[in-house]
């Protein structure tokens, strides 16, 4: 039996973020469309060359995108929202949907006025964001040019036979938002378009296509199942063979349904759901080509190849199989070989996209020619795995002992809400409708430049420190002048709310070039959590102490919570996520207690990413929420009654997780409500949320400065749902992305709004 290797998609951004820089230059008018296309074409060709040289038999095409593959699909189907109707140029239209346009400068001087971009949201449970397809009543689909055919031809002309990748019709319809229309009403029109594309591809010489239907790992309703049946009955009639790709989880109840769709191949994720292999082998007809996603496409760990072979060899003995990463490699950095300065021991545990391709090549050879054909590669992988199991860099007995010693009492505040509120009121002496901000103040070009120069060694520690102190002092003075009640130090010393802490905790590594696409041209470099976590020394106490020394008003201590640190990192795969989270919780708890001991009266623990860690399937939510809340409480609950615990969350969908938000047992929560006009407060009211809430009254995501009257009106709306003494007045997120000349008038108006509210309650 033969084993072949596939990749479902390769990172688009380029090994050195070439696509990002090319896009930004094009958008700013420094380069032409031809320049951008040349870079893009170079990146595609380099990716094919690299994968082919690495031993990939099934090269993907159309996995590349100038911005986003879901947007590409919407354009392919001609699902263009009416507001862009005046834009006739295809490239201009594409970027208008992706980024919006500003009146007077849309790049081409045509002046379409200001158009909002399509909404963006997270792709399943990843940190990649896609542009949400928009459908309205009476929507006509006016298909655009099929980029997929062009990309296939481009590859072929360059000497590469590829398997084009298409986002599946049912996943696209599931992700679409309909206004006055059920997206599934368009199923037949959409399927006609897919069938036409497949026919075009067949005419161009395509033998196989990969169609991605990650919805198959979700709980499907009847409508989705019917749509899948209908879709693949129709598409299977075309003369190209379909490899139906599922990923990000187990097929679960959909397993035999998926295995019996009339497609030629099925890809499954055996990293997230190894247990589905046996049932799949039972359910799959002999004629179905199985593609086994055995290498982790979502994480950066090197695989233990011999252990994988133990599992795959028996399968490969009975049928032809494809082996592949679990999902597209879009979610991991490109090449570990470009890293400088990572610890050598840590490096040998890692594999980025290029290394994952190499791992697949070794597996293929071992399966086709026997393990003895690749003894060295298997030995190295086994040794790295063994080293990881025992390395003192990872396993810290002191951390394990602390985890074992953590008691239920450590998760409980000493008293309930009423007693705490009274104790805190005595210490803090705040007015009704207290005003505060979420933590960061503008990270100006000057601040970023000083950080970069310090990083390069051009500014020494003392000079950098003096610069940051001056920024902090100025910000404290300004907050006092403007009349805020609870101050913050401004977070000028922080590059990022997770990285700052990761760099100061043991157990985290940072790459120099491990970029992963977040959306469009935006990339992030997630920390790599590889070992047991502890906090060697206080991380924020000196900044807090300095800021508090400058004022009599209370200054909040400012920390990032354990769940958010976990959710924004590449995390260990050798223990459950919750075990890693609990270690981070204990480390941040140390910081909470040190802040309190230094005299801090209010400590904010941000959990910006708590909601986005929710598992894909609802049945798994409660387990996640339970350990996430437990970790938060372990972090926060050690303080005295008089110490006020705040948290901040960057979103506004709480209604389905309110009991868990309540169980976090904070004293004050600030949330993002400015755009949803306080709607969600109804939920808090219905749930009888006991503590204080700062519903964001200033939408910091737009440059616009809100008026005092607007903010008064928002708090009045909030008062319809909550008791006045429950309410705080604050912006809806940190101010780091704004400019001082936007922030100053906005916060001044916010303070004025609070005064108005106090005067006329
Ligand atoms: N304290 C952080 C800030 O103000 C919170 C940011 C966030 O929640 N994303 O920037
Ligand atoms: Zn926020």
């Amino acid at each position: 039996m033969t084993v072949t290797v596939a990749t479902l998609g390769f990172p688009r951004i380029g090994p050195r973020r070439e696509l990002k820089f090319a896009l930004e230059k094009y958008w700013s008018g420094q380069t032409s469309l031809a320049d951008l296309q040349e870079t893009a074409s170079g990146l595609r060709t380099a990716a094919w060359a690299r994968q082919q040289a690495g031993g990939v038999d099934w090269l993907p095409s159309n996995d590349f995108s100038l911005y986003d593959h879901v947007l590409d699909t919407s354009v392919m189907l001609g699902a263009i929202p009416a507001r862009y109707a005046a834009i006739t140029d295809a490239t201009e239209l594409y970027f208008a949907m992706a980024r919006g346009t500003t009146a007077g400068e849309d790049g081409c001087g045509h002046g379409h006025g200001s158009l909002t971009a399509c909404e963006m949201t997270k792709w399943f449970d990843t940190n990649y964001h896609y542009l949400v397809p928009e459908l309205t009543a009476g929507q006509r689909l006016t298909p655009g040019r099929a980029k997929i055919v062009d990309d296939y031809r481009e590859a072929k002309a360059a000497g590469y036979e590829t398997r084009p990748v298409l986002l599946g019709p049912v996943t696209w319809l599931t992700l679409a938002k309909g206004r006055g229309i059920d997206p599934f009403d368009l199923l037949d029109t959409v399927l006609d378009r897919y069938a036409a594309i497949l026919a075009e591809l067949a005419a161009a010489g395509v033998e196989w296509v990969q169609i991605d239907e990650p919805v198959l790992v979700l709980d499907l309703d009847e409508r989705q199942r019917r749509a899948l049946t209908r879709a693949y009955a129709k598409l299977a009639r075309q003369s190209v063979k379909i490899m139906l790709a599922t990923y990000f989880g187990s097929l679960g109840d959909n397993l035999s349904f998926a295995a019996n769709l009339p497609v030629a191949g099925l890809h499954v994720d055996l990293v997230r759901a190894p247990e589905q292999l046996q049932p799949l082998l039972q359910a799959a007809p002999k004629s179905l080509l199985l593609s086994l996603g055995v290498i982790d496409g979502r994480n950066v760990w090197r695989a233990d190849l011999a252990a994988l072979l133990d599992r795959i060899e028996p399968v490969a003995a009975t049928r032809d199989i494809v082996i592949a990463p679990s999902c597209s490699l879009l979610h991991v950095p490109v090449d570990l070989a470009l890293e400088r300065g990572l610890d050598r021991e840590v490096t040998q545990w890692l594999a980025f996209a290029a290394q994952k391709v190499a791992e697949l090549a070794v597996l293929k050879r071992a399966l086709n020619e026997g393990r003895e054909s690749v003894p060295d590669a298997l030995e190295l992988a086994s040794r790295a795995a063994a080293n990881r199991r025992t390395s003192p860099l990872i396993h810290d007995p002191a951390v394990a002992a602390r985890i074992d010693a953590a008691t239920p009492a450590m998760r409980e505040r000493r008293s309930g809400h009423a007693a705490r509120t009274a104790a805190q009121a005595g210490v803090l002496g705040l007015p009704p409708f207290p005003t505060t901000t979420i933590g960061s103040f503008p990270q100006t070009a000057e601040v970023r430049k000083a950080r970069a120069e310090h990083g390069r060694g051009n500014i020494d520690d003392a000079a950098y420190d003096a610069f940051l102190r001056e920024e902090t002092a100025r910000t404290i003075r300004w907050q006092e002048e403007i009349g805020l009640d609870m101050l913050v130090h401004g977070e000028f010393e922080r590059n990022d709310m997770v990285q700052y802490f990761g760099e100061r905790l043991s157990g985290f590594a940072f790459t120099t070039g491990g970029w992963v696409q977040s959306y469009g041209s935006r990339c992030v470099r997630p920390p790599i959590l590889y070992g047991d976590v502890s906090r060697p020394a206080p991380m924020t106490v000196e900044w807090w102490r300095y800021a508090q020394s400058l004022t009599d008003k209370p200054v909040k201590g400012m920390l990032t919570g354990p769940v958010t640190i976990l959710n924004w990192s590449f995390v260990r795969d050798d223990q459950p996520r919750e075990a890693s989270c609990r270690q981070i919780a204990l480390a941040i708890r140390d910081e909470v207690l040190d802040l309190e001991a230094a005299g801090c009266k209010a400590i904010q623990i941000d959990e910006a990413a708590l909601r986005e860690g929710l598992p894909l399937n609802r049945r798994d939510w409660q387990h996640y929420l339970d350990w996430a809340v437990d970790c938060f409480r372990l972090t926060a609950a050690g303080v005295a009654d008089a110490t006020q615990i705040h948290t901040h969350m960057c979103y506004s969908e709480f209604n389905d997780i309110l009991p868990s938000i309540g169980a976090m047992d904070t004293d004050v929560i600030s949330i993002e409500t400015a755009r949803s006009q306080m709607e969600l407060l109804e939920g808090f009211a219905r749930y009888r949320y006991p503590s204080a809430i700062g519903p964001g009254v200033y939408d910091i995501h737009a440059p616009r400065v809100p008026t005092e009257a607007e903010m008064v009106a928002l708090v009045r709306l909030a008062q319809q749902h909550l008791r006045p003494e429950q309410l705080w007045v604050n912006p809806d997120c940190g101010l780091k992305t704004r400019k001082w000349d936007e922030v100053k008038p906005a916060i001044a108006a916010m303070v004025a709004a609070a005064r108005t509210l106090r005067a006329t309650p």
Side-chain angles (χ1 to χ4, degrees):
M1 305 285 125
T2 345
V3 176
T4 48
V5 169
T7 49
L8 307 192
F10 203 73
R12 309 154 178 162
I13 204 78
R16 294 186 170 80
R17 287 182 296 160
E18 290 85 346
L19 180 61
K20 171 193 176 69
F21 300 118
L23 280 169
E24 286 169 358
K25 279 197 178 134
Y26 170 70
W27 291 332
S28 70
Q30 290 174 60
T31 54
S32 68
L33 180 59
D35 295 327
L36 173 62
Q37 278 163 348
E38 193 183 312
T39 304
S41 166
L43 286 169
R44 287 191 291 266
T45 313
W48 290 319
R50 190 197 272 262
Q51 292 173 87
Q52 185 164 74
V56 176
D57 303 295
W58 306 83
L59 295 172
S61 61
N62 199 44
D63 55 331
F64 182 87
S65 173
L66 278 179
Y67 203 95
D68 165 42
H69 59 278
V70 183
L71 175 62
D72 293 350
T73 313
S74 303
V75 168
M76 176 188 93
L77 295 170
I80 314 296
R83 64 181 175 284
Y84 306 107
I87 307 181
T88 47
D89 178 78
T91 310
E92 213 184 312
L93 171 65
Y94 183 80
F95 288 128
M97 287 173 75
R99 312 173 63 227
T101 60
T102 318
E105 41 138 339
D106 64 350
C108 293
H110 297 159
H112 302 297
S114 133
L115 299 174
T116 54
C118 293
E119 194 186 312
M120 203 165 53
T121 194
K122 281 182 187 254
W123 172 244
F124 293 82
D125 60 351
T126 73
N127 283 325
Y128 174 85
H129 300 71
Y130 68 92
L131 289 153
V132 179
E134 278 175 42
L135 298 170
T136 38
Q139 178 94 37
R140 296 243 326 271
L141 300 184
T142 43
R145 197 178 161 72
K147 154 184 174 291
I148 185 169
V149 184
D150 297 340
D151 285 10
Y152 173 76
R153 289 216 170 91
E154 177 190 46
K156 194 151 185 142
Y160 303 103
E161 187 56 47
T162 59
R163 184 175 75 184
V165 183
L166 263 170
L167 176 60
V170 181
T171 297
W172 185 82
L173 287 169
T174 302
L175 301 180
K177 253 199 182 157
R179 276 195 205 90
I181 184 183
D182 175 355
F184 280 77
D185 290 350
L186 291 173
L187 177 67
D188 284 329
T189 320
V190 164
L191 291 183
D192 286 343
R193 178 67 180 146
Y194 271 86
I197 298 274
L198 294 191
E200 254 189 88
L201 287 171
V206 169
E207 199 192 338
W208 281 82
V209 291
Q210 170 190 325
I211 302 189
D212 289 3
E213 291 283 15
V215 285
L216 276 162
V217 307
L218 306 180
D219 299 323
L220 296 177
D221 58 30
E222 252 326 290
R223 191 187 51 157
Q224 286 168 310
R225 275 184 186 241
R226 270 202 311 272
L228 283 160
T229 306
R230 194 172 174 82
Y232 291 93
K234 178 168 177 122
L235 300 184
R237 282 201 296 273
Q238 299 300 318
S239 53
V240 287
K241 294 188 191 134
I242 297 171
M243 171 59 73
L244 186 64
T246 70
Y247 41 77
F248 299 153
S250 165
L251 284 165
D253 295 342
N254 305 322
L255 186 131
S256 85
F257 172 73
N260 290 292
L261 285 169
V263 289
L266 179 67
H267 172 87
V268 294
D269 184 337
L270 293 182
V271 174
R272 281 272 177 96
E275 71 284 356
Q276 60 181 341
L277 179 58
Q278 286 318 320
L280 177 71
L281 292 171
Q282 259 143 44
K286 259 285 175 235
S287 58
L288 186 69
L289 179 62
L290 294 183
S291 167
L292 308 182
V294 291
I295 293 288
D296 197 346
R298 290 286 298 274
N299 212 332
V300 292
W301 305 109
R302 182 177 188 172
D304 182 350
L305 300 177
L308 275 179
L309 286 172
D310 291 343
R311 288 170 48 210
I312 315 170
E313 274 165 351
V315 187
T318 62
R319 57 196 297 161
D320 287 349
I321 52 167
V322 182
I323 53 172
S326 54
C327 59
S328 166
L329 293 168
L330 180 67
H331 310 289
V332 293
V334 180
D335 190 359
L336 185 61
L338 299 178
E339 277 310 309
R340 299 284 165 262
L342 264 185
D343 181 276
R344 289 212 19 216
E345 194 175 343
V346 175
T347 305
Q348 60 156 346
W349 302 328
L350 302 176
F352 294 176
Q355 287 69 40
K356 288 173 187 288
V357 165
E359 291 182 313
L360 287 163
V362 173
L363 288 174
K364 172 171 87 170
R365 213 157 149 208
L367 290 162
N368 286 333
E369 299 167 34
R371 295 194 193 201
E372 58 289 355
S373 63
V374 277
D376 297 350
L378 294 181
E379 169 64 21
L380 280 172
S382 296
R383 229 185 292 155
N387 172 272
R388 229 183 125 199
R389 278 192 290 275
T390 54
S391 168
L393 269 186
I394 295 183
H395 307 279
D396 179 348
V399 174
R402 276 195 79 188
I403 294 283
D404 289 344
T407 59
M410 287 168 73
R411 280 104 163 159
E412 299 291 336
R413 293 289 295 269
R414 284 158 222 184
S415 312
H417 275 282
R420 271 149 46 192
T421 306
Q424 291 159 19
V427 171
L428 292 167
L430 295 166
F433 302 103
T435 53
T436 191
T437 62
I438 304 305
S440 57
F441 271 100
Q443 290 264 330
T444 56
E446 231 194 325
V447 172
R448 278 178 280 129
K449 182 159 170 262
R451 181 177 312 127
E453 293 293 315
H454 177 245
R456 289 190 202 105
N458 297 337
I459 303 182
D460 66 18
D461 291 353
Y464 182 53
D465 198 63
F467 169 84
L468 292 174
R469 280 173 169 253
E470 185 43 42
E471 289 295 311
T472 307
R474 205 179 339 179
T475 303
I476 291 283
R477 279 197 300 275
W478 180 77
Q479 292 175 87
E480 280 204 313
E481 261 163 46
I482 208 79
L484 282 159
D485 302 307
M486 185 171 281
L487 314 193
V488 296
H489 76 288
E491 302 182 23
F492 300 106
E493 76 288 4
R494 300 186 191 175
N495 35 18
D496 172 275
M497 63 186 287
V498 169
Q499 188 174 349
Y500 181 80
F501 290 94
E503 283 172 347
R504 283 159 184 78
L505 294 170
S506 58
F508 284 87
F510 289 85
T511 64
T512 48
W515 296 98
V516 177
Q517 189 175 23
S518 168
Y519 63 90
S521 64
R522 293 286 281 268
C523 302
V524 293
R525 232 175 354 166
I528 298 175
L529 170 53
Y530 66 84
D532 287 344
V533 179
S534 59
R535 185 204 64 153
M539 307 181 281
T540 64
V541 176
E542 278 320 305
W543 284 113
W544 174 82
R545 203 194 302 272
Y546 173 65
Q548 186 66 81
S549 75
L550 304 170
T551 177
D552 294 330
K553 296 263 180 81
V555 177
K556 272 192 281 193
M558 195 57 65
L559 306 173
T560 302
V563 186
T564 297
I565 293 180
L566 184 89
N567 283 343
W568 285 346
S569 301
F570 284 119
V571 299
R572 294 171 67 168
D573 62 352
D574 57 350
Q575 65 180 18
R577 291 173 76 83
E578 57 184 286
S580 298
C581 198
R582 211 154 270 138
Q583 296 181 353
I584 306 171
L586 279 181
I588 306 288
R589 177 185 176 97
D590 292 344
E591 189 72 13
V592 168
L593 295 178
D594 280 351
L595 278 168
E596 183 183 53
C600 187
K601 303 280 182 273
I603 302 169
Q604 179 175 313
I605 305 166
D606 292 325
E607 284 292 16
L610 189 129
R611 189 176 210 291
E612 68 186 52
L614 280 173
L616 286 174
N617 285 304
R618 208 147 181 142
R619 61 175 170 273
D620 304 323
W621 279 23
Q622 202 52 50
H623 174 67
Y624 163 78
L625 287 167
D626 288 348
W627 64 252
V629 169
D630 182 64
C631 288
F632 184 88
R633 292 173 66 123
L634 192 51
T635 307
V639 297
D641 286 348
T643 303
Q644 191 167 63
I645 294 289
H646 293 234
T647 191
H648 165 71
M649 296 190 173
C650 287
Y651 34 83
S652 53
E653 301 141 51
F654 287 98
N655 288 341
D656 48 2
I657 57 169
L658 265 173
S660 299
I661 302 295
M664 288 167 71
D665 197 23
T666 56
D667 299 306
V668 185
I669 180 172
S670 59
I671 54 182
E672 187 180 308
T673 39
R675 277 184 292 185
S676 66
Q677 296 284 318
M678 307 285 149
E679 263 167 39
L680 81 117
L681 294 176
E682 264 175 49
F684 277 90
R686 226 177 306 121
Y687 170 72
R688 295 183 186 283
Y689 188 73
S691 15
I693 305 184
V697 291
Y698 157 23
D699 174 10
I700 65 92
H701 304 87
R704 197 174 155 271
V705 173
T707 64
E708 176 195 333
E710 260 170 64
M711 291 188 271
V712 170
L714 280 175
V715 179
R716 296 251 189 260
L717 264 176
Q719 265 184 274
Q720 296 178 1
H721 305 294
L722 298 160
R723 289 170 281 121
E725 62 278 13
Q726 270 183 298
L727 288 168
W728 283 60
V729 178
N730 49 256
D732 71 353
C733 198
L735 300 166
K736 59 176 169 254
T737 57
R738 295 264 64 90
K739 299 193 172 72
W740 272 109
D741 54 7
E742 297 157 354
V743 163
K744 285 187 173 176
I747 298 294
M750 191 186 88
V751 170
R755 290 191 176 136
T756 303
L757 289 159
R758 284 168 207 154
T760 48

